[in-house]
Amino acid sequence: MGKRILLVDDEPLILKGLKYTLEQEGYETDSAMDGEEALSKFEAGSFDLILLDVMLPKLDGIAVCQRIRERSDVPIIMLTAKGEDMDKILGLEYGADDYMTKPFNILEVKARIKTILRRVSGSVQQQEHRVIRVHDMEVNLIKRSVTLGGKDIKLTAKEFDLLQMFVTNRGTVFSREQMLETVWKYDYAGDARTVDVHIRRLREKIERDTSKPEFIFTKWGVGYYFTDQD
């Protein structure tokens, strides 16, 4: 069976075009035209990715994203007719993995979907077959799971990708541009602040005191790095 994608948009022509194109690529799709229907479809089914419009009736896309993130790390690409940075930051704050601004190129939509699904599913052969332990943190690169002090830490797909990049390159300082290229896998020019948002959210989950980090450190004027101290 193909990967299942939930399409959420209140414009019938956009839904029709996305549905046709993605099903031609072998994906299975379901659709919703408002926020409440989107949550209902999400709770009733199992999806590998969600394309989610920001401006929706009944419940907006930001609220839908937030509620989904409370129970799932399914990749979410948000679609918005607005291009303001604040829309992007708000979406990322609540766990969106990516953004596309309308009108979008359907070829780019397909490319983004393939990139995210490839990154999330990953090939076991390409992953390191071990659990990495740093202080009292354990990062399982196969199960894509994290524990801190024996407690499970819930990370979004993008947050885990960042953490994996750090723990497999401990002590290496990454610039924002390097992180975009390594984790996002495509040109995200002009959105380096995306990295800062994700780093902050990751720190809030793995650092006991964000003012005195144990794991992720800032190299002022350069970027971020993960501790090399056991």
Side-chain angles (χ1 to χ4, degrees):
M1 294 178 65
K3 297 289 187 180
R4 297 194 71 222
I5 299 176
L6 177 60
L7 310 173
V8 187
D9 200 296
D10 62 343
E11 298 182 48
L13 287 180
I14 289 180
L15 283 180
K16 183 178 180 180
L18 286 170
K19 181 179 178 65
Y20 175 81
T21 301
L22 295 178
E23 290 184 352
Q24 289 293 307
E25 291 290 312
Y27 298 110
E28 295 182 21
T29 70
D30 199 352
S31 60
M33 297 188 67
D34 63 63
E36 292 181 357
E37 184 183 12
L39 286 177
S40 178
K41 290 285 183 73
F42 169 75
E43 292 170 357
S46 176
F47 297 95
D48 298 288
L49 184 141
I50 299 174
L51 284 177
L52 177 63
D53 190 26
V54 171
M55 302 300 292
L56 292 170
K58 298 185 179 179
L59 196 65
D60 67 46
I62 298 296
V64 172
C65 180
Q66 183 181 19
R67 294 193 187 182
I68 289 175
R69 275 292 168 264
E70 291 173 354
R71 66 195 78 175
S72 172
D73 64 353
V74 60
I76 298 174
I77 300 177
M78 301 203 76
L79 306 175
T80 175
K82 298 180 179 179
E84 293 86 351
D85 290 339
M86 185 53 65
D87 288 319
K88 298 180 180 181
I89 298 303
L90 282 173
L92 294 170
E93 285 284 359
Y94 291 114
D97 293 275
D98 200 358
Y99 257 90
M100 296 198 69
T101 302
K102 298 177 182 178
F104 47 76
N105 185 315
I106 193 63
L107 295 178
E108 185 178 2
V109 173
K110 292 193 295 183
R112 300 265 186 114
I113 289 173
K114 287 180 179 178
T115 296
I116 289 178
L117 291 178
R118 184 168 59 244
R119 185 181 66 241
V120 171
S121 61
S123 170
V124 172
Q125 289 75 23
Q126 294 175 339
Q127 294 179 334
E128 297 182 56
H129 292 249
R130 59 192 174 103
V131 174
I132 297 178
R133 297 176 177 85
V134 185
H135 302 177
D136 60 345
M137 177 191 290
E138 291 190 357
V139 182
N140 189 312
L141 301 179
I142 304 303
K143 296 181 179 179
R144 291 178 63 85
S145 61
V146 180
T147 62
L148 183 63
K151 296 181 179 180
D152 290 333
I153 303 297
K154 300 297 184 183
L155 301 181
T156 66
K158 192 64 63 63
E159 289 165 357
F160 187 90
D161 291 339
L162 276 173
L163 182 60
Q164 178 172 322
M165 178 198 72
F166 281 129
V167 299
T168 55
N169 297 277
R170 294 175 60 187
T172 300
V173 179
F174 289 91
S175 69
R176 292 167 177 80
E177 290 73 21
Q178 288 173 320
M179 284 184 273
L180 287 171
E181 182 179 349
T182 301
V183 175
W184 276 257
K185 305 292 187 185
Y186 52 79
D187 181 16
Y188 217 86
D191 263 331
R193 281 175 296 174
T194 297
V195 171
D196 296 326
V197 173
H198 278 81
I199 291 292
R200 188 176 78 246
R201 295 182 71 247
L202 180 56
R203 277 174 162 166
E204 288 171 351
K205 293 181 179 181
I206 68 173
E207 303 285 6
R208 277 168 276 257
D209 183 351
T210 55
S211 66
K212 297 178 181 179
E214 300 173 59
F215 302 105
I216 300 176
F217 294 85
T218 302
K219 185 75 171 180
W220 296 109
V222 183
Y224 301 95
Y225 66 98
F226 198 87
T227 181
D228 58 0
Q229 300 298 312
D230 291 323

